[in-house]
Amino acid sequence: MIEFAVLASGSKANCCYVSDGTTRLLVDCGLSAKQIALRLESIGVEADSIDGILISHEHEDHVRGARVFIKRHNTKMYCNRPTLARAKQLAEVPRENINFFDTGMPFLLGALQIDHFSVDHDAADPVAFSISMGDKKISIVTDLGQATSLMYAKIKDSNALVLETNHDHDLLVEAPYPWELKQRIKSRKGHLSNDSAKEIMRRLSSSEDCRVEVAIAAHISENSNTEELALAALREGWDAKKSSPQFLAGSVKYASELMCLR
Ligand SMILES: [Zn+2]
Ligand SMILES: [Zn+2]
């Protein structure tokens, strides 16, 4: 069994909760520590009961509340060395709370298998996570500029998929950003567009390994996307011959309900 909730997802803050009922983890910590505690409370989880925080990369929207949360709730943090070296916000996390992983080397936290893999993104050593327990798996794949065969291999048998649908091409062109930022977002080290996510859904859902039960549109930009467009992309990509998963959109404003894979 795996239970999970998207506590926040978007260009401004990202944080997911994943647990097997015994080990309780956060993936990224982009809200304030106070907000994370409140949103955990909303799904019936005490902040003090969080065992560990997995950090995908050092961008502010993924680490903002980590230092305070870790000190306040005496939580362990798991990241790779280049991420810690680059992350100013994590510099004061007590050394005894930090555990390093080597990118690509899976490890166990309790009964949860933590798999992680490199993604193309403009950070020191960014990773995405696939967390499994028995035959249930959740993959959290945001902050990447392009899909890779490594990514497909890691996420193809996921039961829950939190997938980046960052921007709509046309809305990004019109968005009030400088040209350089638009180029960065669109680049191979930037963020997945709705069209890229649609293609990923198409490829995943046409594979025999596919067993997606829940697909969550994630890291949706407030300026160059809408929940409707992001969800439509995931739905349109889905192979109609397969029974359809539940499609949901993550939000920065509120936590999702607690969901369970059995
Ligand atoms: Zn991000
Ligand atoms: Zn990022």
Side-chain angles (χ1 to χ4, degrees), residues 57 59 61-62 121 143 191:
H57 66 298
H59 288 163
D61 56 315
H62 297 260
H121 191 54
D143 297 73
H191 292 277

Side-chain angles (χ1 to χ4, degrees), residues 98-111:
I98 302 174
N99 294 277
F100 291 114
F101 58 74
D102 294 321
T103 299
M105 300 291 288
F107 56 97
L108 281 172
L109 290 177

Side-chain angles (χ1 to χ4, degrees), residues 135-207:
D135 62 353
K136 295 297 177 188
K137 182 195 264 196
I138 176 170
S139 294
I140 300 170
V141 186
T142 70
D143 297 73
L144 68 168
Q146 61 180 345
T148 59
S149 45
L150 173 65
M151 182 207 79
Y152 280 112
K154 294 290 186 183
I155 72 171
K156 63 181 181 182
D157 55 352
S158 302
N159 302 85
L161 182 62
V162 179
L163 179 63
E164 174 159 59
T165 47
N166 179 260
H167 58 276
D168 170 83
H169 270 304
D170 295 340
L171 291 182
L172 179 63
V173 170
E174 293 163 17
Y177 299 143
W179 182 83
E180 294 79 14
L181 180 57
K182 292 182 187 180
Q183 288 302 112
R184 184 186 88 70
I185 292 168
K186 279 204 299 187
S187 79
R188 282 183 292 174
K189 288 194 171 292
H191 292 277
L192 289 179
S193 68
N194 290 346
D195 285 347
S196 308
K198 183 168 149 183
E199 171 59 18
I200 291 169
M201 286 306 277
R202 191 196 62 71
R203 217 172 124 177
L204 280 180
S205 60
S206 58
S207 140

